[in-house]
Amino acid sequence: MDTHETNLEKYAELVVKVGVNIQPGQVLFVESPLEAAPFTRKVVQKAYEAGAKYVQVAWDDEAVTRTRFEYAPDDSFGFYPEWTARMMEQLAEGGGALLNIKVPNPDLYQGIDAAKVSAATRAASRARQKFQGYVRNKTFSWCLVKAPTRAWAAKVFPELPPERQVEAMWETLFKINRVDAADPVAAWHEHIAKLKSMRERLNHKKYKRLHYKAPGTDLSVELPEGHVWFGGAGLNDQGVSFVANMPTEEVYTLPKRDGVNGTVRSTKPLNLNGRLVDRFSFRFENGRIVDYAAEVGQEHLADLLSTDEGAEYLGEVALVPYDSPISNLNRIFYNTGVDENASCHLAIGSAYPFTLENGTKLSKEELVQRGANVSLTHVDFMIGSAELDIDGELADGTLEPVFRKGNWAL
C-alpha cells in the first residue's frame, strides 16, 4: 500500500474513532460529495469494523445543486422536504451519529440570483430547527471533516498545475489533522488534552469581558454570568466523547447577547454557503449589528443578517493562536471549518446552549433571558491576526493580557 492509501486509511480510522467515535450497535449517517467516494468508502468500512449497526451515505453533487438554481421554478426555493428534516431528527433521537464531509465550493453560486440562495437557505433552516437544536445541545455525536474536491483544491492552490491540486490538498489535510503522526488517534487525544487544559484556565478566570484591539477592530465583548469555555472534545447525552470539527484548534464560549460594543474587521474571506464575502466589518451597539460593510459580497452579508432577529447578534466567541498549525501554513482555505481554526473568530447567530451553565435545559426564552442569543443561523467569521491583542476583564475591573500579537499571553 502506498503512502497516500495508508494515510487515507489512517484518516478514515481517525474520524470514526475520534471524530464521531462510533460505538458498537450505533447507526452512522454520512453526508459526502461524490468526489470523496474513495475516502467515504473507507470511512464506511472503518465504521463497520468499529461495530456500527448500519451506515447510510447521502451523496452530494454540486452540479445537481447548481442545476436547481438555474432551472427550477421560483417556488422551489422556499421548499425543503419535511421527510429529510424528520429523518435527521430520528437519527439524533435514536442515538445515531452524523459525519458530514463538508467542502462547499466558494464559487458554486457565481452568477445565481442571491435571492434564490437566500430563500433556499432560510427554508432549510426553518425545516431543520428541531434537528439543529439537537446539534447545538450535543444531544448526539456529530463531526464535520474535509476531503478535497477539484473546485476547492483549485481555489486553494491556484499556483499549482491542475493535476497537482487535489494531491496537494490531501497532503495538507493529512498534516492539519495529524494523520502524518505515527499514531494519529494518540496524537489527537494529546491535542484534546491540551485544549481542555486551556479551557479550564479560562473557566477558572471567569472573565467579565474581553477587549479586542487590532487594525480596524476595537471591540468589547461581555461574557454572561455562568458562561463555560469549551474546546477539543465534547460529550453527548449518552456521555460518549466526540469531536465536532476536524481539524480543531479553538476554545470557545458565548458572548452576552446585548453586551457587545464597538467595531470589528474580518481578516479572512468567508465562504457563505457557496457565496464569497470578503474584507468586511461590523459595528455593534448593545450587542446588535447597527452598521456593516463588505468590499466583496455585501448583498450576501445582507441576506445573512436578515435571516431573523437573532442574526443581528453574536452567538460565539472563539480564541485560536496565530502561531498554530493551520495558520502557519499561511494559506486561505475558503472553508470556514478550516479557516476558523487558523484564526480567532466570532459567530453571527445562535449560541450553543451548552456554553452556558445548565443551558441545555433552558427554553429559547430562558436562554435569551440568561444572555444567550437564539437564531436560525450560526456563521463564523475570522478576525484573528498577528496584530490582535485581547485583554480579559476580571470581576473587579482588573485587566490582564489574554492575547498579545495574536498569541496566548495567559
Side-chain angles (χ1 to χ4, degrees):
M1 189 180 295
D2 63 23
T3 301
H4 178 74
E5 284 298 308
T6 298
N7 282 334
L8 273 185
E9 290 271 348
K10 291 164 69 177
Y11 189 28
E13 182 176 42
L14 180 66
V15 300
V16 166
K17 289 188 174 180
V18 177
V20 287
N21 191 10
I22 284 296
Q23 302 296 295
Q26 193 173 25
V27 170
L28 174 64
F29 188 80
V30 182
E31 296 176 327
S32 172
L34 285 174
E35 288 185 57
F39 171 62
T40 302
R41 292 176 187 128
K42 291 184 182 296
V43 167
V44 172
Q45 177 185 336
K46 295 297 182 183
Y48 280 125
E49 289 176 352
K53 177 193 294 185
Y54 183 73
V55 182
Q56 180 171 334
V57 179
W59 299 106
D60 175 63
D61 182 359
E62 289 183 340
V64 170
T65 300
R66 184 174 172 93
T67 298
R68 177 192 180 197
F69 288 91
E70 290 178 330
Y71 298 104
D74 288 344
D75 64 357
S76 168
F77 306 108
F79 172 77
Y80 187 87
E82 181 181 341
W83 62 86
T84 301
R86 183 61 187 137
M87 176 182 67
M88 301 307 292
E89 292 165 13
Q90 289 179 341
L91 175 73
E93 292 164 358
L98 169 65
L99 178 67
N100 188 333
I101 304 172
K102 192 171 184 180
V103 283
N105 179 355
D107 301 317
L108 179 61
Y109 297 117
Q110 193 169 48
I112 297 294
D113 183 356
K116 292 181 178 180
V117 180
S118 178
T121 301
R122 284 194 181 93
S125 296
R126 286 193 294 267
R128 291 164 64 100
Q129 279 188 79
K130 186 175 182 180
F131 172 69
Q132 286 301 326
Y134 293 143
V135 169
R136 290 173 183 145
N137 281 299
K138 297 193 300 184
T139 301
F140 71 115
S141 298
W142 56 276
C143 182
L144 305 180
V145 301
K146 317 296 175 286
T149 60
R150 288 186 295 275
W152 184 35
K155 188 76 173 180
V156 177
F157 294 99
E159 77 281 8
L160 295 180
E163 64 271 15
R164 270 283 296 138
Q165 290 169 342
V166 169
E167 181 184 355
M169 181 62 78
W170 270 123
E171 292 169 356
T172 301
L173 288 173
F174 293 151
K175 181 179 181 63
I176 64 179
N177 281 293
R178 297 170 170 80
V179 176
D180 56 358
D183 185 342
V185 172
W188 263 88
H189 286 312
E190 181 181 351
H191 175 54
I192 289 168
K194 290 179 180 178
L195 290 174
K196 182 179 180 182
S197 175
M198 181 53 69
R199 80 191 196 197
E200 287 176 347
R201 293 178 68 183
L202 289 165
N203 283 326
H204 177 73
K205 290 288 186 180
K206 298 187 185 299
Y207 288 123
K208 183 178 180 181
R209 287 185 183 85
L210 297 177
H211 299 269
Y212 293 72
K213 287 286 183 69
T217 293
D218 187 353
L219 190 71
S220 171
V221 178
E222 185 176 355
L223 305 178
E225 185 176 347
H227 70 273
V228 182
W229 289 90
F230 276 87
L235 298 178
N236 65 20
D237 277 0
Q238 290 75 45
V240 176
S241 172
F242 69 98
V243 177
N245 194 41
M246 299 180 84
T248 184
E249 302 289 339
E250 65 176 333
V251 290
Y252 61 96
T253 189
L254 79 166
K256 190 169 185 289
R257 187 178 192 270
D258 60 359
V260 181
N261 289 279
T263 57
V264 65
R265 179 184 295 173
S266 70
T267 54
K268 290 181 182 288
L270 173 63
N271 180 356
L272 189 56
N273 297 315
R275 299 172 293 171
L276 197 64
V277 183
D278 198 7
R279 297 185 294 280
F280 54 97
S281 61
F282 299 106
R283 182 166 63 86
F284 293 85
E285 289 182 3
N286 299 321
R288 182 171 172 267
I289 296 171
V290 296
D291 193 21
Y292 64 94
E295 293 184 29
V296 177
Q298 175 141 335
E299 68 276 19
H300 308 319
L301 206 56
D303 284 343
L304 170 64
L305 298 179
S306 65
T307 301
D308 56 18
E309 183 192 14
E312 297 181 327
Y313 296 82
L314 295 181
E316 181 186 336
V317 50
L319 303 179
V320 180
Y322 187 75
D323 183 15
S324 59
I326 303 172
S327 178
N328 289 339
L329 295 175
N330 195 30
R331 190 172 291 272
I332 295 171
F333 287 91
Y334 301 95
N335 182 301
T336 301
V338 180
D339 287 327
E340 70 171 3
N341 286 294
S343 172
C344 286
H345 54 276
L346 304 169
I348 289 169
S350 188
Y352 289 106
F354 59 80
T355 56
L356 191 65
E357 289 178 357
N358 299 313
T360 59
K361 301 176 183 178
L362 302 178
S363 67
K364 291 181 179 179
E365 293 74 20
E366 290 169 331
L367 284 168
V368 172
Q369 290 173 2
R370 288 275 305 276
N373 190 35
V374 174
S375 173
L376 290 172
T377 194
H378 179 99
V379 175
D380 300 276
F381 65 96
M382 285 57 75
I383 64 169
S385 73
E387 301 173 282
L388 176 64
D389 290 341
I390 304 175
D391 286 330
E393 181 180 335
L394 297 169
D396 63 1
T398 302
L399 294 177
E400 61 182 28
V402 176
F403 266 56
R404 286 293 181 268
K405 297 190 181 300
N407 291 308
W408 288 108
L410 277 178

